[in-house]
Amino acid sequence: MVADELDDATLVARARDGDVRAYEELVRRHQDRMFRLALRMLGNRGDAEDVVQEVFLTVWRRLAQLQQDAAFLGWLYRTTTNRCLNVLRSRKPSADVDWEEIAAPGNQAGPERSAQVSEQLAVLNRALRELTPEQRACWLLREVHGRSYEEIGAAVGASPTAVRGRIARARAQLAEVMRPWR
């Protein structure tokens, strides 16, 4: 059976048994998603690349510690989020996210619309940097990556109730900043 036909749990089990190709397939499947999360949290391409590389190396080394093979993706989100939070705590973010690479306006839009979208993304980028790292992580995991409150809680080490509160505060703060574009 070809590796891309296998589910994550099967690949994790094989990787734990030393199958490097199985782990390579897991990396291939999830590295872009983890990179987008890290880039949005950190606002710096180099830092995001470093974090994702460290995360996948750490996960490979600690794969035997994973109790349930099906929990791999949640573990990956938790590890990436925690690594990003550590980076954010150790420095003040100073670089802007390259939003053109993340969400470029469509080519069919006119120049006025493209300028408006670029301005909105710049304002959103600044507003995201104003959130606490924990609020930013919760908001990104929920709104961009579609994770459940329970999954986010596991990723950031908080209860689902605390996660809901952080997301509500983040949404309120972002809504206030983005009010002119409603």
Side-chain angles (χ1 to χ4, degrees), residues 3-177:
D4 29 330
E5 295 175 5
L6 301 175
D7 64 357
D8 282 0
T10 304
L11 290 170
V12 169
R14 287 184 176 188
R16 185 181 299 117
D17 290 337
D19 185 344
V20 175
R21 287 200 174 158
Y23 192 70
E24 288 172 351
E25 175 62 20
L26 288 166
V27 171
R28 188 192 63 74
R29 284 183 187 181
H30 301 296
Q31 69 183 353
D32 288 345
R33 189 180 328 191
M34 295 306 117
F35 175 75
R36 285 190 306 272
L37 173 61
L39 181 60
R40 287 182 174 148
M41 283 187 69
L42 300 172
N44 179 286
R45 175 174 281 286
D47 288 347
E49 289 170 350
D50 290 346
V51 162
V52 171
Q53 183 177 11
E54 290 172 21
V55 164
F56 279 105
L57 283 171
T58 299
V59 167
W60 172 249
R61 289 182 191 127
R62 297 184 179 161
L63 202 53
Q65 297 174 4
L66 183 62
Q67 299 298 315
Q68 296 176 345
D69 296 344
F72 179 77
L73 187 57
W75 188 38
L76 202 53
Y77 269 112
R78 182 172 54 255
T79 305
T80 303
T81 301
N82 287 336
R83 189 70 55 124
C84 288
L85 289 172
N86 289 340
V87 169
L88 288 170
R89 288 181 189 119
S90 70
R91 59 124 166 117
K92 272 195 137 175
S94 59
D96 286 335
V97 172
D98 187 354
W99 286 101
E100 289 182 21
E101 289 185 22
I102 296 172
N107 291 340
Q108 62 270 44
E112 297 86 17
R113 179 69 182 141
S114 295
Q116 181 184 22
V117 169
S118 292
E119 184 180 352
Q120 287 173 339
L121 290 173
V123 170
L124 179 60
N125 180 37
R126 286 191 298 275
L128 283 170
R129 282 187 285 155
E130 294 299 318
L131 298 174
T132 67
E134 292 78 12
Q135 287 174 338
R136 186 179 325 147
C138 290
W139 187 85
L140 286 169
L141 287 168
R142 180 69 179 174
E143 302 298 339
V144 177
H145 292 271
R147 309 316 294 176
S148 72
Y149 293 115
E150 291 76 17
E151 291 171 317
I152 297 168
V156 300
S159 70
T161 304
V163 167
R164 287 178 205 275
R166 288 176 185 169
I167 292 171
R169 287 188 295 281
R171 285 175 178 158
Q173 194 170 333
L174 293 173
E176 183 64 31
V177 171

